[in-house]
Amino acid sequence: MDAVYLVLLLLPLVSAQTYHWGPCPTPKVQPNFNVEQYLGRWYEIEKLPASFERGKCIEANYAVRKDGTIQVLNSQFYKDKVRVAEGTAVIRDPRESAKLGVSFSYFTPYSPYWILTTDYTSVSVVYSCTDILRIFHIDYAWILGRSRFLPADTVYYAKELLMNEGIDLFRMKVTDQTGCKDN
């Protein structure tokens, strides 16, 4: 019964997210992932809703730090201001280097950040999922591009890949990348 109360307490917190009953799916990730080729700027093309991403002109920039971790700089234009969040990504297991962990606070554990596929030069498909007691899970998925806009067939390919891995895209939304200023 305690688990039911916990779920009821958590539901308002995840209302801006995409959640489903049961444990997280385990999609296949990019084989032989090369983090060095992945570094640099990626623009958000589409995503499953996330409470921490409500603005427009959303992008992420990845760079290797001296200690070997990866600096993650996410930015978005929200409520008339550019807002930046800095986090850290780590490769947890070198045998599965496309399964990164990302954290934006010293006080939170690393969340999964799995690169399902990338060609390094134009598109990347990323998935993250958090299990809540194996009762339900919260999904995040992103289609990223090296430019602010991708051809429709590339976006279609990315969505097909996610759906074929059992990821529900019903709430997937296009990210507004119009009127953005490039740095």
Side-chain angles (χ1 to χ4, degrees):
M1 198 63 146
D2 290 335
V4 172
Y5 290 122
L6 179 63
V7 168
L8 291 174
L9 286 172
L10 290 173
L11 282 178
L13 299 174
V14 299
S15 63
Q17 320 300 12
T18 303
Y19 54 94
H20 302 283
W21 293 109
C24 291
T26 53
K28 293 185 274 320
V29 296
Q30 171 94 12
N32 305 312
F33 177 71
N34 182 328
V35 72
E36 291 291 328
Q37 288 182 275
Y38 196 77
L39 300 175
R41 180 170 288 137
W42 289 93
Y43 299 98
E44 185 179 277
I45 307 301
E46 292 196 24
K47 68 169 171 277
L48 287 177
S51 61
F52 48 87
E53 292 183 326
R54 296 188 177 170
K56 62 181 271 181
C57 304
I58 299 172
E59 61 184 69
N61 203 330
Y62 304 95
V64 175
R65 292 190 179 113
K66 289 179 183 175
D67 67 0
T69 62
I70 301 160
Q71 177 192 49
V72 181
L73 278 179
N74 287 349
S75 67
Q76 64 181 315
F77 190 74
Y78 183 63
K79 293 188 176 181
D80 298 324
K81 288 173 71 175
V82 173
R83 310 208 181 233
V84 177
E86 182 173 350
T88 299
V90 294
I91 296 173
R92 294 176 164 181
D93 180 351
R95 294 169 297 176
E96 289 189 292
S97 57
K99 290 184 176 182
L100 286 81
V102 176
S103 177
F104 285 89
S105 167
Y106 291 111
F107 307 107
T108 59
Y110 286 98
S111 297
Y113 186 89
W114 293 5
I115 292 95
L116 305 190
T117 190
T118 184
D119 63 1
Y120 303 103
T121 59
S122 64
V123 67
S124 178
V125 179
V126 178
Y127 179 70
S128 180
C129 188
T130 301
D131 254 331
I132 309 295
L133 303 173
R134 298 189 61 78
I135 297 170
F136 69 96
H137 63 274
I138 303 167
D139 280 320
Y140 303 94
W142 298 270
I143 299 170
L144 307 175
R146 289 291 192 185
S147 60
R148 290 195 186 275
F149 303 96
L150 290 177
D153 59 332
T154 303
V155 174
Y156 177 82
Y157 159 78
K159 287 180 170 182
E160 282 288 304
L161 184 138
L162 288 162
M163 288 187 294
N164 289 340
E165 291 293 346
I167 299 161
D168 182 1
L169 301 183
F170 176 73
R171 296 187 65 199
M172 194 120 201
K173 294 183 176 183
V174 173
T175 300
D176 184 358
Q177 292 286 355
T178 60
C180 305
K181 295 179 183 172
D182 285 318
N183 309 2

